[in-house]
Amino acid sequence: MKNKGYSIINIGGLALGMAVTLIIGLWVHDELSHNDYFKKKSRIAQIYQSQTFNGQVGTGPAIPRPLEFALREGYGDNFEHLVMASWTTPLYLNYGKKSLSKEGNYMQEGAPDMLDLNILKGEKDGLRKINAIMLSKSVADALFGEEEPIGKVVKVNSQFDAEVTAVYEDIPVNNSFNDLQFILPWEKYLTVFEWIKNAEDQWGNNSFQLFAEIPENSTMDQVTETIEDVKKNESGDEAEFEPKLFLLPMEDWYLRSNFQNGQQVGGRIKYVWLFAIIGAFVLLLACINFMNLSTARSEKRAKEVGIRKSIGSQRNQIINQFLSESFLVTLFAFVLAVILVLLLLDGFNDLARKEIAFPWQNGQFWLISIAFILFTSLLAGSYPALYLSSFKPVDVLKGTLAAGKYAGLPRKILVVLQFTVSVAFIIGTVIVMQQINHAKNRPVGYDAEGLVQVPVMSTDFEGKYELMRNEFIKSGAVVEMSASSAPTTQIWSNRGGFTWDGKPDSFQEDIAWTEVTPEYAKSLNLKILEGRDFNRELASDSNAVLINETAKKYMGLTNPVGTFIKDEDIEDPFPPMKIIGVVQDMIAQSPYEPVKQGIYAFDKHGNQSFYNLRLNPDRSASGNIATIENVFKIHFPDIPFQYDFVDTEYGEKFASEERIGTLSAIFTALAILISCLGLFGLTSYVAEQRKKEIGVRKVLGASVFNVWNMLSKDFLKLVVISCFIAIPIAYYVMNGWLQDYPYRVLLEWWIFLLAVVGAMAITILTVSFQAIKAASANPIKSLRTE
């Protein structure tokens, strides 16, 4: 209470650092505990494969259907469960007048046991019946309310009826399969889609997922070593792609699922490490403040120590006094930090898209907290306790105790460390933001504004495209419409097995494949660079394709228009496809990667998954959507109307990086604030310590600027030293981080200059307040003796 300003800075700065570290720690724990809901997490894996195309290795979880049979027959002892599954897809579920669109999978009957789902009602082996469906609790409640769900019949996608055989607990959000809102039997999948049954012996059709559970006495590496060449040995012609199989453990699905040229290169784990390091350094900055201010202030208490010793205090009593004071201040700071976390946690969850709760009942958390409080108080209180308790009372009370030449060196080193961390944070945050903006400013290749996509993956939509196109355009809400087999912002199918004139003998192509209606380019405002667009009046265009710019270069075609492409996987008399035009590249994958070579084929099989609607720009977007929904409901009254703005969908590709960038900026600002608090307190101490010197200088004619310069220059020197240390460290770290992005920003010199200027400006502003205050003080007061 006697030193209120010092106490506020010391306790407030430490509390802020603790609060930031607590929040980051909770976030890191949430990331590392992903999939902890699954009790068999350590034994569950997904089968991945790597294949080589023209020297480049591609890796992914898509596998061919015959692989399941080969693994069951020849390698069954290596697995407790093998579970084939479809890709997660939204389907329409109808019961009475209720209609929902929910995401789920078709899976083999071992899935509930492998995932150890918490069955609330019904039976865990509920997928044995071909017409069964298992529902999550939230979906069951939405469909049936208070009714008993078991035995009820649900209409699925207007195609078939399914009996509810089980209701399972919703899988928490920080887990894989958290979007598994229903499970349908794999056997039903085979009957609904004829092409899947035909894929039994197609080793080149990588359209499926395969999950595995290994025995307790086995390891992922052992099983991988056993099965890695199965596809290569069994697949015939596919062996030319040198396929290698491996198990990707469930523990790696979320954090380490990125691969480059066949090698696992991490994933979100880099962000976990990034924030763990930020949290550690923010806490370090707060502790440095605490240590600096505690040691600076403790020198003023030398006389107190001398008097205590002279009246009989033992050294261990003085040590205990200083350590207990340090513990008390740290405890106050921790309590304040917990209050700050409770106030900020909801906002942090919204920003980070998390559902983190404060771990009140987690004993491990409180044990770590107690250890942390003890460690911090010991760290901050050890110097004054050990150093001051060693003073001889005679020297102190006579006033002959002098601080050595290097007494202030430890504080200077700590200030340099503080600002090294702060400057490195500034550089890192600027580069992260630059990388995000670099990708956001990249030309998309089509006009995303006013473009809406509507999923149409139900049999209700079959044969209705022309009708709906006419109805939507006639309504005045839509000026153009097309349909496609994949969303605008994603690639759903990659194909090979093509031949064309001039194709090198050893060329192994991997091309993105999308089937579209003739109006596709018009609805997206795609630019035709060569040739022409589809013409629905020309019967020959049913065998026509458009290719993108990248495909033209990839296929080595100088004059592509008129070139015929033959699909070797389809037997004659299927006619060759004729290239009629080249369209501008459009980003359908990650905006941080190069555009993939793509073919847009005339849709003659009705393979439509999305309607692409170009809204009328002369009307409001909300009015257009309302009109479209009314038209939709007239023709599909039992199907929920769903839509997405393509620009919003595209923006989601930046969501993860933007969240990381925003959080980095916030934590960097807090790190700088903590550093400034410490610098402010230290400047105050130095000004107080040199009060008489400043008074003498003023009496002898020194100006305010002279005194300001005297007090400021030492701190500016420390910040300059910090910048020289921080710049190479930041360059090395951020250059390594950028290597993960094929499409990336360059490290410009001005970024580092900006960080240096910013650090200097912050230092000057922080120091100037105390320096000018000291320089403006009346010298008579400072020179008056006791």
Side-chain angles (χ1 to χ4, degrees):
M1 293 303 295
K2 182 182 174 184
N3 299 278
K4 295 183 181 65
Y6 158 82
S7 298
I8 289 170
I9 291 174
N10 219 6
I11 297 174
L14 187 58
L16 189 59
M18 285 180 164
V20 170
T21 305
L22 279 173
I23 287 176
I24 290 177
L26 292 173
W27 183 87
V28 168
H29 178 266
D30 187 78
E31 292 284 292
L32 294 177
S33 61
H34 200 84
N35 283 333
D36 277 0
Y37 178 79
F38 301 106
K39 297 174 184 176
K40 302 177 183 178
K41 172 183 175 180
S42 61
R43 295 195 284 126
I44 298 174
Q46 185 168 11
I47 310 291
Y48 269 57
Q49 68 167 323
S50 293
Q51 297 186 95
T52 303
F53 299 93
N54 302 315
Q56 293 294 311
V57 181
T59 303
I63 57 97
R65 193 178 167 210
L67 179 62
E68 175 210 352
F69 308 130
L71 292 180
R72 286 191 192 280
E73 291 168 10
Y75 305 88
D77 292 342
N78 290 283
F79 305 101
E80 289 284 335
H81 285 106
L82 278 171
V83 175
M84 288 292 289
S86 68
W87 301 96
T88 302
T89 184
L91 296 179
Y92 302 114
L93 306 179
N94 292 82
Y95 176 73
K97 294 183 179 181
K98 292 182 181 178
S99 182
L100 305 174
S101 176
K102 296 295 179 181
E103 292 189 332
N105 287 62
Y106 292 89
M107 304 180 87
Q108 288 181 326
E109 61 183 75
D113 186 55
M114 180 184 73
L115 299 177
D116 204 16
L117 296 179
N118 182 13
I119 304 299
L120 304 176
K121 294 180 180 180
E123 302 175 352
K124 183 172 278 191
D125 59 355
L127 295 178
R128 285 183 305 166
K129 300 178 183 177
I130 193 169
N131 288 319
I133 186 171
M134 300 177 73
L135 301 176
S136 69
K137 184 179 184 303
S138 60
V139 173
D141 289 346
L143 280 175
F144 307 111
E146 297 297 321
E147 292 183 52
E148 171 59 49
I150 304 301
K152 293 289 191 302
V153 176
V154 176
K155 175 75 79 175
V156 179
N157 236 33
S158 301
Q159 289 177 284
F160 59 89
D161 292 333
E163 180 186 344
V164 179
T165 56
V167 175
Y168 55 89
E169 180 183 54
D170 285 79
I171 297 171
V173 70
N174 67 327
N175 293 274
S176 301
F177 299 111
N178 70 292
D179 55 358
L180 190 69
Q181 296 165 316
F182 65 82
I183 311 175
L184 287 161
W186 176 258
E187 293 302 319
K188 191 65 180 179
Y189 195 41
L190 304 182
T191 63
V192 172
F193 301 100
E194 187 66 29
W195 68 271
I196 297 171
K197 202 162 190 178
N198 296 334
E200 286 185 2
D201 57 356
Q202 294 177 359
W203 282 96
N205 186 349
N206 298 299
S207 299
F208 308 96
Q209 297 187 92
L210 180 56
F211 299 95
E213 178 192 337
I214 63 172
E216 289 186 14
N217 60 352
S218 184
T219 68
M220 298 291 175
D221 289 340
Q222 287 173 346
V223 177
T224 291
E225 189 176 345
T226 304
I227 69 167
E228 64 177 355
D229 291 326
V230 171
K231 182 179 177 183
K232 184 177 181 179
N233 297 334
E234 301 280 346
S235 61
D237 292 343
E238 291 296 310
E240 67 174 316
F241 299 111
E242 300 178 29
K244 282 193 176 297
L245 305 174
F246 64 94
L247 299 184
L248 186 70
M250 179 181 266
E251 294 172 335
D252 286 353
W253 292 358
Y254 181 69
L255 294 175
R256 300 176 184 86
S257 59
N258 288 359
F259 291 84
Q260 284 184 5
N261 210 24
Q263 299 298 313
Q264 193 172 10
V265 293
R268 282 187 66 88
I269 190 65
K270 67 182 179 183
Y271 296 130
V272 174
W273 280 110
L274 171 68
F275 282 114
I277 291 169
I278 288 175
F281 275 116
V282 167
L283 183 59
L284 177 63
L285 296 181
C287 286
I288 287 172
N289 278 356
F290 195 2
M291 291 171 65
N292 263 345
L293 296 177
S294 295
T295 54
R297 182 174 171 270
S298 65
E299 291 176 8
K300 295 181 67 176
R301 300 179 67 180
K303 283 187 179 179
E304 175 194 336
V305 173
I307 292 170
R308 285 182 181 275
K309 278 197 164 187
S310 67
I311 60 174
S313 287
Q314 300 297 314
R315 186 181 183 190
N316 66 314
Q317 290 177 306
I318 295 171
I319 289 173
N320 289 337
Q321 178 199 342
F322 278 101
L323 289 178
S324 61
E325 287 177 6
S326 178
F327 173 77
L328 197 61
V329 170
T330 307
L331 185 61
F332 285 157
F334 181 78
V335 172
L336 184 56
V338 170
I339 294 170
L340 283 173
V341 171
L342 294 174
L343 292 173
L344 297 173
L345 196 54
D346 286 344
F348 177 80
N349 279 332
D350 291 340
L351 183 62
R353 292 192 183 179
K354 291 284 187 181
E355 294 181 4
I356 300 171
F358 195 85
W360 291 109
Q361 299 177 345
N362 189 322
Q364 186 180 11
F365 167 79
W366 293 110
L367 284 174
I368 292 172
S369 298
I370 292 168
F372 167 69
I373 292 168
L374 292 172
F375 174 77
T376 305
S377 57
L378 184 64
L379 187 68
S382 58
Y383 174 79
L386 297 174
Y387 177 60
L388 293 178
S389 65
S390 66
F391 291 165
K392 292 181 180 179
V394 175
D395 294 336
V396 173
L397 297 176
K398 277 185 176 181
T400 58
L401 183 70
K405 181 180 177 182
Y406 300 104
L409 185 60
R411 285 196 295 275
K412 291 179 180 179
I413 292 172
L414 292 176
V415 169
V416 168
L417 180 57
Q418 266 191 323
F419 275 87
T420 297
V421 173
S422 297
V423 171
F425 279 4
I426 293 171
I427 294 170
T429 302
V430 171
I431 291 172
V432 169
M433 291 300 189
Q434 261 214 311
Q435 173 65 8
I436 295 169
N437 290 329
H438 181 65
K440 288 181 82 170
N441 294 332
R442 184 180 177 188
V444 186
Y446 58 92
D447 183 7
E449 188 175 355
L451 184 63
V452 170
Q453 57 186 21
V454 177
V456 290
M457 290 175 280
S458 163
T459 53
D460 290 84
F461 297 98
E462 290 180 5
K464 302 282 184 67
Y465 169 70
E466 295 295 340
L467 168 67
M468 295 309 298
R469 180 171 180 270
N470 291 333
E471 290 287 293
F472 283 140
I473 293 175
K474 189 169 70 174
S475 72
V478 174
V479 294
E480 187 53 273
M481 170 178 153
S482 65
S484 55
S485 61
T488 310
T489 55
Q490 296 179 44
I491 293 172
W492 276 14
S493 178
N494 295 283
R495 292 180 61 178
F498 298 110
T499 59
W500 61 88
D501 288 342
K503 176 186 175 182
D505 292 338
S506 60
F507 193 80
Q508 301 164 324
E509 71 280 4
D510 177 32
I511 300 176
W513 175 269
T514 308
E515 295 180 36
V516 300
T517 56
E519 303 80 18
Y520 187 71
K522 291 190 186 104
S523 63
L524 269 64
N525 287 339
L526 266 178
K527 189 176 180 182
I528 307 292
L529 302 177
E530 297 180 42
R532 62 175 178 84
D533 197 357
F534 292 114
N535 185 342
R536 62 169 50 246
E537 303 300 325
L538 295 175
S540 59
D541 272 13
S542 62
N543 290 315
V545 297
L546 298 171
I547 64 172
N548 63 8
E549 298 171 80
T550 300
K552 174 186 171 182
K553 298 171 188 173
Y554 179 79
M555 298 168 71
L557 300 174
T558 307
N559 298 302
V561 176
T563 300
F564 285 91
I565 303 174
K566 179 73 174 79
D567 190 339
E568 289 183 321
D569 293 336
I570 301 178
E571 299 178 359
D572 289 332
F574 188 83
M577 298 171 288
K578 181 181 179 181
I579 298 175
I580 61 170
V582 178
V583 297
Q584 185 177 2
D585 280 342
M586 57 179 275
I587 300 173
Q589 287 180 293
S590 169
Y592 301 100
E593 297 177 358
V595 172
K596 185 166 186 178
Q597 52 278 2
I599 291 177
Y600 304 96
F602 188 103
D603 173 35
K604 56 186 177 182
H605 303 296
N607 188 15
Q608 299 167 4
S609 298
F610 290 89
Y611 288 162
N612 308 298
L613 311 176
R614 171 66 58 188
L615 300 184
N616 187 342
D618 298 327
R619 296 172 53 174
S620 69
S622 58
N624 284 330
I625 293 298
T627 302
I628 291 168
E629 182 174 9
N630 289 335
V631 173
F632 184 92
K633 282 297 183 184
I634 291 171
H635 296 278
F636 307 106
D638 297 328
I639 296 177
F641 175 66
Q642 292 179 288
Y643 69 94
D644 291 297
F645 281 95
V646 172
D647 54 358
T648 303
E649 283 289 294
Y650 183 73
E652 282 295 309
K653 294 177 180 289
F654 303 95
S656 179
E657 279 78 8
E658 284 187 322
R659 284 196 295 274
I660 297 300
T662 303
L663 291 173
S664 297
I666 292 171
F667 293 143
T668 297
L670 291 173
I672 293 168
L673 175 61
I674 291 168
S675 297
C676 289
L677 279 174
L679 194 60
F680 184 84
L682 211 52
T683 309
S684 175
Y685 163 74
V686 171
E688 176 68 22
Q689 195 180 42
R690 301 177 71 174
K691 184 168 65 173
K692 280 192 167 71
E693 177 192 344
I694 294 169
V696 172
R697 288 178 180 274
K698 289 200 71 178
V699 168
L700 295 176
S703 66
V704 172
F705 175 78
N706 294 140
V707 177
W708 173 85
N709 183 57
M710 178 190 73
L711 292 174
S712 302
K713 65 182 180 181
D714 287 341
F715 290 108
L716 284 172
K717 286 177 186 176
L718 297 179
V719 173
V720 170
I721 294 170
S722 300
C723 291
F724 277 110
I725 299 172
I727 286 173
I729 294 173
Y731 179 87
Y732 176 79
V733 172
M734 296 313 298
N735 188 55
W737 180 74
L738 287 172
Q739 298 309 309
D740 290 343
Y741 298 96
Y743 187 83
R744 56 181 177 266
V745 72
L746 297 175
L747 292 178
E748 303 278 1
W749 62 268
W750 63 263
I751 297 173
F752 302 95
L753 179 62
L754 178 68
V756 172
V757 172
M760 299 284 283
I762 290 167
T763 304
I764 291 170
L765 287 172
T766 305
V767 172
S768 292
F769 177 81
Q770 288 291 356
I772 293 171
K773 179 182 175 183
S776 304
N778 189 338
I780 295 174
K781 292 182 179 179
S782 59
L783 293 175
R784 184 181 294 151
T785 64
E786 294 180 3

